[in-house]
Amino acid sequence: MNEPSVTSGPAATLGERIAAEIATAGGWLPFDRFMQMALYAPGGGYYARDARQFGVLAKDGSDFVTAPELSPLFARALAAQIAESLAATGTDEVWEFGAGSGALAAGLIDALDALGQPLARYTIVDVSGALRARQQARLAAHGERVRWASQLPDALRGVVVGNEVLDAMPVKLLARRAGAWHERGVVLESNRPPALDGQAPAAIENEATRFAWHDRPTDLRPPLEVDGAHDYVTEIHPQARAFIATVAGLLQRGGAAAAYFIDYGFPEAEYYHPQRDAGTLVCHRAHRVDDDPLSDVGDKDITTHVNFTDVALAAQDAGLDVLGYTSQSRFLLNCGIAPLMEAADLPARATAMKLLAEHEMGELFKVIGFATPGHPPALGFAAGDRSHRL
């Protein structure tokens, strides 16, 4: 396979840098590495750009909305659970991974103050320097209580929060074709080998570079056998599992801690259902969804749903207890969002309903909680716990 001449220096575009990475890798790049660069490459990756990602409407220049941006009642309800866990663990620190615009951090700090559970420290871990700058501007009023960590400590105490962080972790793509499993990767169109089925997939143009899919035979498999002989595309999540295992290990060493992750996803029996044959990989741009991660690289989000069974097993293997698993709607209701909505004006109530409605965020988004042994039953899972489905 001939290697093209591509630019890889600091002035190169993101497309050129990915092309250089493909060439260095021998002409084929696994999708998880492509996704890592498309989202996080310094200076050009989607989350590393100086551009807006989070907002309510496309006209404000945003690509999608998250729950903390949508309604301040999300943070106020979540704060009730965090306050309970802070009291249970005897700690006064929250760690947030992937803090986005800083909206959740601002809301939680204020809500915990109002609940009489003030924090000594709110620590943010975010790989994006561009987002960190925006967070620092938004949270400046909270002074030295907020800090940013460039590396993890040897142990974690307190409460960990992650809202829509797991879905942004790079995944491996697997494709079952003619009964055999392959790993799907990215090649340059100019060097694409013959397609395995004799039909060339569409090439995608990105600036001066054209990317295309190419599958290679692999020993990798989904965690469940997928019934049927039909062609099937899906994802596996080694990076998310490794992240949870790392955080869980640090919490164990800390001695008293809890963690809550909110995201869209399914237990693995639903994730790898035979009818989910196109997987869950999608892109977000200007509040529209597409399934084409090889185009407009760096200008749109790339995301997949979360396998919550995988997440739960990783935490348990590291010694944590699963506090519960339920829908976002049920979790927020358990945490008292209904009286908060009753006290709000009509527009605020209508907006907050999107957090609960089944056809909006209420059912697709789930919440899973973990804790070191000895944590009491968690408020957010008091009714509607679905841990048995994991």
Side-chain angles (χ1 to χ4, degrees), residues 12 20 31 46 60 65 80 100 123 126 156 183 192 244-245 288 344 355 371:
F31 180 74
Y46 178 76
D60 61 22
V65 66
T123 303
D126 206 308
L156 282 173
E183 182 176 358
R192 183 177 57 197
I244 291 293
R288 295 186 178 186
L355 302 173

Side-chain angles (χ1 to χ4, degrees), residues 95-342:
W95 288 74
E96 184 180 359
F97 286 84
S101 68
L104 181 57
L108 286 177
I109 293 169
D110 290 341
L112 289 167
D113 283 347
L115 290 171
Q117 193 84 37
L119 294 172
R121 184 178 295 158
Y122 194 104
T123 303
I124 292 174
V125 183
D126 206 308
V127 299
S128 169
L131 287 177
R132 178 183 295 198
R134 277 173 256 168
Q135 295 157 9
Q136 289 172 335
R138 185 165 195 163
L139 297 168
H142 295 287
E144 295 183 357
R145 279 204 291 176
V146 184
R147 68 170 187 174
W148 283 260
S150 56
Q151 60 184 22
L152 293 175
D154 293 332
L156 282 173
R157 282 176 55 85
V159 179
V160 168
V161 177
N163 181 64
E164 293 198 47
V165 63
L166 297 175
D167 66 78
M169 294 191 175
V171 298
K172 286 191 172 293
L173 287 183
L174 300 183
R176 184 175 66 189
R177 304 171 65 187
W181 284 101
H182 303 82
E183 182 176 358
R184 180 155 290 177
V186 181
V187 297
L188 294 176
E189 166 63 9
S190 58
N191 280 342
R192 183 177 57 197
L196 294 176
D197 58 5
Q199 296 184 5
I204 303 300
E205 187 168 358
N206 179 65
E207 297 161 336
T209 309
R210 294 171 65 86
F211 298 123
W213 296 115
H214 186 70
D215 298 340
R216 285 184 169 183
T218 183
D219 292 330
L220 296 173
R221 297 289 186 274
L224 291 182
E225 183 175 350
V226 180
D227 291 338
H230 57 296
D231 287 356
Y232 195 91
V233 177
T234 191
E235 310 92 26
I236 57 174
H237 306 77
Q239 288 202 31
R241 187 181 179 97
F243 166 77
I244 291 293
T246 298
V247 170
L250 294 175
L251 293 174
Q252 272 284 77
R253 287 197 285 276
Y260 299 92
F261 291 93
I262 306 102
D263 228 312
Y264 39 87
F266 315 102
E268 72 181 16
E270 294 178 37
Y271 201 106
Y272 299 105
H273 192 282
Q275 293 180 351
R276 201 179 303 283
D277 58 2
T280 71
L281 179 70
V282 294
C283 304
H284 294 275
R285 187 179 188 183
H287 293 261
R288 295 186 178 186
V289 178
D290 70 70
D291 60 359
D292 185 6
L294 302 188
S295 68
D296 301 319
V297 180
D299 289 331
K300 59 185 179 182
D301 187 28
I302 305 174
T303 179
T304 65
H305 286 48
V306 175
N307 175 359
F308 280 102
T309 302
D310 211 28
V311 168
L313 289 173
Q316 286 184 321
D317 288 347
L320 297 187
D321 293 336
V322 176
L323 293 174
Y325 166 72
T326 193
S327 68
Q328 176 176 287
S329 176
R330 175 49 58 189
F331 182 86
L332 294 176
L333 288 168
N334 288 339
C335 289
I337 198 172
L340 296 177
M341 292 171 66
E342 290 175 6

